[in-house]
Amino acid sequence: MAAEIRVRFAPSPTGYLHIGGARTALFNWLFARHHGGTFVLRIEDTDRARNTEEAAAAIYEGLRWLGLNWDEGPHVGGNFGPYFQSQRNEIYERHLKRLQDAGHIFEDQGALRFRSPREHVIVDDLVAGKIDFDLSNEQTHPDMTVRRPDGSWIFHFVNVVDDMEMRISHVIRGEDHLSNAAKHIELYRALGAEPPRFAHIPLILNRDGSKMSKRDQGASVDYYTKRGFLPEAVRNYLCLLGWSPKDNREKMPIDEVVKLFDLNKILRSHATFDPDKLHWLNGEYAHELSDERFQELARNALTASGIKLENFADDYIRSALETCKGKINTFDELPAYCGFYFNDDFEYNAEGVAKHFTAENRPRLLAVRDAFAGLEKFNAAEIEATLKATAARLGLKPAVLIHPTRLAVTGSNAGPSLYHLLEVLGKEKVLARIDRALSIGR
């Protein structure tokens, strides 16, 4: 492509960053990076009643979390600002006057409307193909408002003006805007400007086929940050919603996606959002984290859950978390998985109590406790050998002792490797917890 590539993401700050908006931003960012172009962030804040600074901040934070740095826009600047529509009123006035002087605007009950040429408009879309929109019927396609009676601007007009002024070469947005493209082309022509190339990407649907709305769980980028998803995993998954590298790969580093991404690889069919697949993909990324990053994210997750890590030695925390790496998919799973390390007064799993804290198992658990009490070295290897020797002496398989022992010291039927977690807890704490379990039902 010889012409300079300039694309934009233009959200309205009326709420959180929707996952669909994030996918749109990502596709624009990928296209710009693939072609060495410019990615512009523009805030469409003309809705005075609904726009908030908090919502704008959520957009910035969500994009930064996903690693989608913008080349022009808020906090960055650029040669085509301001990048807030609320600050561009003089620009809109100037272009409105051009339309008025050319006879394209008329007043209707205080509102200003654009007089449609009443023609067929062909949108040559890079994803959807050529589509012929018949705008000749005034009943089905009334003249669009460009300015309300209260003086506020309508999306269609300011959107076109901004894209013209910011020299946007490609408009990449959701398929729900496809019908707007014909109206926008009419405005471009009336303003004597060449329209950008359009690429309308497929909508994101829930697994039941319904359109993903703001009310759906998981529709917000903030949902994933709070749950402890990894930004690289969420970004990777969003790449696959409507785009494919054509070789069925799913886990791909972003640098490779940038090399492969182009609009001709965007799929025409709707994309289905599968939370289970994202959960799995996040686990794949989580398992590959460096020890340092895993420790940092794990500590943040535990602290956010209310666990007071300052009450524990750093070496103890580090050793405890080492037993968890590669065992969780998202960091919000961590408090339930390893919270027992930081709480002696945990509750026992009720099903586990009924199954493993039986009268038959009580003397077996006591035998394990006595065997552990006799250990001089309380490390994983010695613990494993001792438990297996105790099982052999009792004529049992080790699993018969492993389950009640795990339940006694963690309150759960599942978790990190038993022998390693016992070593981390230490002999004194393990014996005390087994004593506590043996006291149940006395």
Side-chain angles (χ1 to χ4, degrees):
M1 296 183 182
E4 181 187 6
I5 299 298
R6 290 179 58 82
V7 295
R8 49 69 167 180
F9 176 52
S12 297
T14 57
Y16 53 73
L17 178 59
H18 187 272
I19 205 74
R23 195 271 306 261
T24 297
L26 172 61
F27 279 21
N28 277 277
W29 182 89
L30 287 169
F31 186 70
R33 295 294 174 264
H34 178 81
H35 290 287
T38 301
F39 175 54
V40 179
L41 175 61
R42 183 174 75 227
I43 303 299
E44 299 196 336
D45 59 344
T46 56
D47 190 339
R48 301 166 188 167
R50 298 174 60 211
N51 296 330
T52 67
E53 291 184 7
E54 293 78 10
I59 291 169
Y60 307 144
E61 291 167 8
L63 293 177
R64 289 186 182 121
W65 183 74
L66 288 167
L68 305 182
N69 53 306
W70 51 98
D71 305 304
E72 294 179 19
H75 309 300
V76 175
N79 297 327
F80 300 93
Y83 293 93
F84 294 86
Q85 285 186 338
S86 59
Q87 300 171 13
R88 297 174 63 82
N89 194 62
E90 291 183 8
I91 298 172
Y92 304 143
E93 294 279 9
R94 173 162 44 88
H95 285 282
L96 175 63
K97 188 174 188 306
R98 289 179 59 197
L99 291 177
Q100 287 174 321
D101 291 346
H104 295 298
I105 300 296
F106 68 95
E107 186 173 343
D108 178 23
Q109 297 182 338
L112 297 181
R113 292 182 179 272
F114 173 75
R115 183 176 284 108
S116 172
R118 295 293 159 216
E119 59 188 0
H120 283 252
V121 176
I122 295 177
V123 178
D124 188 6
D125 193 87
L126 293 169
V127 175
K130 288 188 177 182
I131 302 176
D132 184 343
F133 288 91
D134 181 2
L135 305 186
S136 61
N137 188 331
E138 186 176 356
Q139 299 303 315
T140 56
H141 295 282
D143 294 317
M144 69 175 129
T145 301
V146 298
R147 199 171 198 176
R148 300 180 184 92
D150 65 2
S152 61
W153 302 100
I154 292 293
F155 156 78
H156 301 291
F157 175 66
V158 294
N159 186 271
V160 166
V161 169
D162 286 343
D163 286 345
M164 282 176 48
E165 288 279 330
M166 295 181 182
R167 301 181 187 176
I168 299 302
S169 65
H170 293 73
V171 171
I172 305 170
R173 58 190 178 186
E175 192 181 61
D176 49 339
H177 286 288
L178 181 56
S179 61
N180 293 333
K183 302 175 185 177
H184 294 178
I185 288 174
E186 285 191 324
L187 281 172
Y188 279 108
R189 290 173 177 169
L191 289 165
E194 183 70 22
R197 296 303 308 273
F198 291 99
H200 290 87
I201 57 182
L203 299 180
I204 299 177
L205 304 181
N206 294 310
R207 284 186 289 194
D208 63 2
S210 62
K211 181 181 176 182
M212 197 174 198
S213 73
K214 290 183 177 182
R215 295 182 297 276
D216 293 321
Q217 186 181 62
S220 162
V221 171
D222 184 58
Y223 171 84
Y224 300 97
T225 63
K226 290 179 177 177
R227 280 203 56 196
F229 278 77
L230 298 171
E232 56 267 42
V234 176
R235 185 179 59 206
N236 187 157
Y237 184 67
L238 290 178
C239 289
L240 304 175
L241 293 178
W243 174 82
S244 171
K246 305 298 185 184
D247 58 6
N248 295 322
R249 277 185 298 167
E250 294 179 321
K251 186 174 182 293
M252 298 178 63
I254 194 63
D255 290 346
E256 189 170 354
V257 177
V258 167
K259 290 178 183 178
L260 294 173
F261 187 87
D262 214 341
L263 298 177
N264 60 11
K265 294 180 182 176
I266 293 179
L267 306 175
R268 187 68 188 92
S269 58
H270 293 314
T272 300
F273 193 92
D274 185 346
D276 294 334
K277 188 171 182 179
L278 174 54
H279 186 257
W280 164 81
L281 185 60
N282 198 81
E284 294 297 298
Y285 275 93
H287 299 165
E288 296 178 357
L289 288 174
S290 67
D291 291 342
E292 291 73 20
R293 190 169 177 218
F294 179 83
Q295 289 277 335
E296 177 187 2
L297 295 174
R299 289 171 189 241
N300 290 343
L302 293 178
T303 300
S305 74
I307 294 174
K308 298 186 181 301
L309 294 181
E310 63 270 20
N311 296 337
F312 301 88
D314 188 68
D315 287 346
Y316 176 80
I317 299 170
R318 178 170 292 278
S319 296
L321 293 177
E322 283 175 354
T323 68
C324 304
K325 189 180 178 188
K327 306 294 185 181
I328 60 167
N329 282 18
T330 56
F331 281 88
D332 65 335
E333 298 169 2
L334 198 59
Y337 187 77
C338 73
F340 66 86
Y341 280 121
F342 312 101
N343 176 24
D344 290 325
D345 192 28
F346 52 78
E347 294 184 1
Y348 298 100
N349 175 276
E351 184 180 335
V353 169
K355 186 174 181 179
H356 300 298
F357 284 178
T358 62
E360 185 180 23
N361 273 347
R362 184 180 299 278
R364 296 169 177 172
L365 188 55
L366 180 59
V368 171
R369 190 256 185 233
D370 291 343
F372 284 169
L375 285 177
E376 292 186 9
K377 294 182 178 180
F378 204 74
N379 57 47
E382 291 292 329
I383 292 169
E384 180 178 6
T386 299
L387 186 141
K388 288 181 176 179
T390 303
R393 179 168 55 82
L394 297 175
L396 304 170
K397 292 182 178 180
V400 177
L401 301 183
I402 287 173
H403 296 303
T405 302
R406 176 185 293 280
L407 185 64
V409 298
T410 71
S412 175
N413 297 319
S417 165
L418 177 63
Y419 307 120
H420 288 97
L421 75 85
L422 292 174
E423 178 181 344
V424 172
L425 286 170
K427 181 177 177 179
E428 182 179 348
K429 193 179 290 287
V430 167
L431 296 181
R433 291 188 177 188
I434 294 178
D435 287 339
R436 178 191 173 206
L438 288 169
S439 69
I440 294 176
R442 281 185 181 172

